């Protein structure tokens, strides 16, 4: 199983803050996961293809592709605005 | 790098307010310094011309501390620092409230200034916090600023 | 420039110690801010490898205040600042003692950082203070550093 | 009368912290004053011709020449080391 978290404006746009995908339900790579999620509808497609959407794998921001393993936590969020 | 072991670091993500005077005192006590630089960010009541009534700071629990630690680690690799203190508040805040505190001590002022500004520039662009403002026209997410991105990029 | 009238400025040249926490509090109270940057310089006990037992700060009474005011005025012309606090101590000081404090508040952090560092760089090269150190080998005047000159020149 | 002040290491080298020159005793310009003081001896010559020696006229640092007027305060000192 992998856990997917969504934050801030992206969470509101997608109407979803968290979802889990069981073994077999998620692809082997991060980029493939984005493609899969993009298939969930127009809003999801916009979010997953936007170059503004940031990705964190296991709580570290990542830009390149990566292999997914059971227990991974993937997060999607808009540009940060703290400080 | 030997000096990294000698650096005292404290990072907090908290809803509670903090006292900059106390934080300052602890920085000063931490070691025999030379230069102490601090930055405090507070909620302004005007943003892009609208009256801001309040601010909600959402964050990504778990990643937040990790991201802040990575930023402080990088500062310690770049400069010889004695102590670093970083506090970031979360939750509901109001105009005038403190949001963030960065304190850095070093033997030399140039390093203290650079590290303090670097940490702020990276917090602004790499730590998972998001501001939602309350305005007379309703709530709205604060947009990330290009100027913050540019400020962070000059450290590369 | 209209904003210059709104800037609150306080400059002190004094033998007495100061409390950075109190100074910080007054900066924060002074106006509805956004960014507060402070710098505090303290006496290090090592300079160029020798143990420093103490430091005497000579100054040029009369010119000192004028020079500091000119530096703060220039900072206010360059950046939009809300408040500036500058304290410089004189006379006999010991390792760990505070020497100088610069506090700047502004709506934006970039301006607060720049103005604070600018004021320090200019104090280091344009204000008539001279340090004489006490070391095991006797008293000696501290030499001006090229790095301070270079730091000041980058603001031209 | 003009007042001349000397500070820090320069004061110690010259063994002099202050001197006054009456009307007729001082020349009409700052640069001429430096030349006159340089004539007081080797230490003074070294101090007045060194490009490290800073000059303030009426408590403002100055690099160019200037006309001297009665009541002026001229100060000579080494590079500053405060902060």
């Amino acid at each position: 199983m992998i856990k997917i978290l969504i934050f801030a404006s992206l969470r509101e746009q997608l109407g979803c803050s968290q979802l889990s995908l069981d073994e077999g339900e998620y692809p082997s790579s991060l980029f493939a996961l984005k493609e899969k999620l993009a298939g969930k509808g127009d809003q999801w497609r916009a979010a997953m293809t936007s170059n503004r959407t940031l990705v964190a794998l296991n709580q570290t921001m990542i830009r390149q592709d990566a292999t997914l393993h059971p227990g991974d936590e993937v997060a999607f969020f808009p540009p940060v605005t703290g400080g | 790098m030997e000096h990294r072991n000698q650096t005292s670091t404290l990072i907090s993500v908290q809803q509670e307010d903090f006292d900059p005077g106390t934080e300052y005192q602890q920085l000063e006590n931490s070691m025999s310094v030379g230069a102490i630089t601090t930055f405090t960010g507070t909620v302004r009541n005007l943003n892009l011309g609208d009256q801001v009534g309040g601010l909600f700071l959402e964050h990504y629990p778990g990643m937040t501390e990790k991201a802040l630690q990575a930023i402080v680690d990088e500062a310690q690799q770049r400069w010889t620092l004695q102590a670093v203190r970083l506090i970031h508040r979360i939750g509901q805040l109001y105009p005038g409230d403190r949001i963030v505190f960065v304190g850095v001590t070093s033997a030399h002022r140039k390093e203290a200034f650079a590290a303090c500004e670097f940490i702020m520039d990276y917090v602004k662009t790499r730590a998972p916090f998001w501001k939602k403002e309350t305005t007379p026209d309703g709530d709205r997410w604060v947009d990330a600023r290009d100027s913050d991105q540019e400020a962070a990029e000059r450290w590369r």
Side-chain angles (χ1 to χ4, degrees), chain A, chain B:
Chain A
M1 194 192 79
I2 64 166
K3 188 159 82 172
I4 296 165
L5 300 172
I6 303 163
F7 291 98
S9 57
L10 212 56
R11 170 175 48 75
E12 292 188 353
Q13 281 160 32
L14 299 176
C16 174
S17 64
Q18 185 168 343
L19 67 159
S20 297
L21 293 178
D22 282 330
E23 220 65 22
E25 286 187 323
Y26 64 88
S28 60
S29 84
L30 193 55
F31 282 6
L33 174 67
K34 287 175 76 173
E35 265 177 54
K36 182 186 164 76
L37 292 174
K40 283 169 64 81
D42 287 352
Q43 292 280 8
W44 283 86
R45 178 158 303 281
M48 291 300 134
T49 56
S50 166
N51 58 14
R52 284 176 56 83
T53 298
L54 302 177
V55 186
L57 175 61
N58 296 324
Q59 309 176 344
T60 301
M61 276 208 248
I62 186 170
R63 282 168 193 231
Q64 64 273 37
D65 201 4
T67 307
L68 292 178
H69 301 98
D72 277 351
E73 180 173 302
V74 180
F76 298 101
F77 45 79
V80 303
T81 57
Chain B
M1 269 169 279
E2 256 184 337
H3 69 260
R4 291 195 57 197
N5 300 323
Q6 302 175 333
T7 309
S8 123
T9 300
L10 191 57
I11 296 174
S12 310
V13 179
Q14 61 190 42
Q15 188 152 16
E16 304 75 50
D17 193 13
F18 55 89
D19 175 39
T22 306
E23 297 305 331
Y24 177 88
Q25 206 57 50
Q26 276 162 8
L27 280 169
E28 209 181 58
N29 290 343
S30 68
M31 236 164 276
S32 109
V33 291
I36 304 168
T37 310
T38 74
F39 175 83
T40 311
T42 66
V43 181
R44 282 181 293 153
N45 59 9
L46 277 178
N47 193 17
L48 301 174
D50 289 320
Q51 198 72 26
V52 173
L55 200 64
F56 188 85
L57 259 155
E58 177 171 333
H59 75 128
Y60 176 177
M63 177 170 168
T64 316
E65 286 81 357
K66 228 168 152 171
L68 296 180
Q69 186 66 57
I71 292 167
V72 171
D73 285 350
E74 191 164 340
Q76 284 168 4
Q77 274 158 17
R78 287 176 180 235
W79 298 283
T80 304
L81 309 177
Q82 294 174 348
V84 178
R85 178 71 169 120
L86 174 50
I87 307 174
H88 203 299
R89 293 181 69 192
I90 51 175
Q92 183 65 46
L93 298 175
Y94 296 95
D97 282 356
R98 300 173 193 106
I99 305 177
V100 62
F101 178 88
V102 182
V104 174
T105 71
S106 170
H108 304 284
R109 85 178 178 288
K110 200 178 167 181
E111 301 197 72
F113 269 116
C116 192
E117 194 166 10
F118 168 89
I119 290 170
M120 271 311 300
D121 287 344
Y122 270 41
V123 165
K124 284 266 178 189
T125 50
R126 301 190 171 197
F129 296 100
W130 300 274
K131 289 190 185 116
K132 193 175 197 176
E133 287 178 344
T134 310
T135 75
D137 301 331
D139 292 358
R140 66 175 179 207
W141 291 98
V142 172
D143 272 332
R145 286 210 200 95
D146 289 343
S147 60
D148 286 330
Q149 206 59 48
E150 286 155 19
E153 265 156 28
R154 93 204 133 95
W155 297 105
R156 289 186 172 247

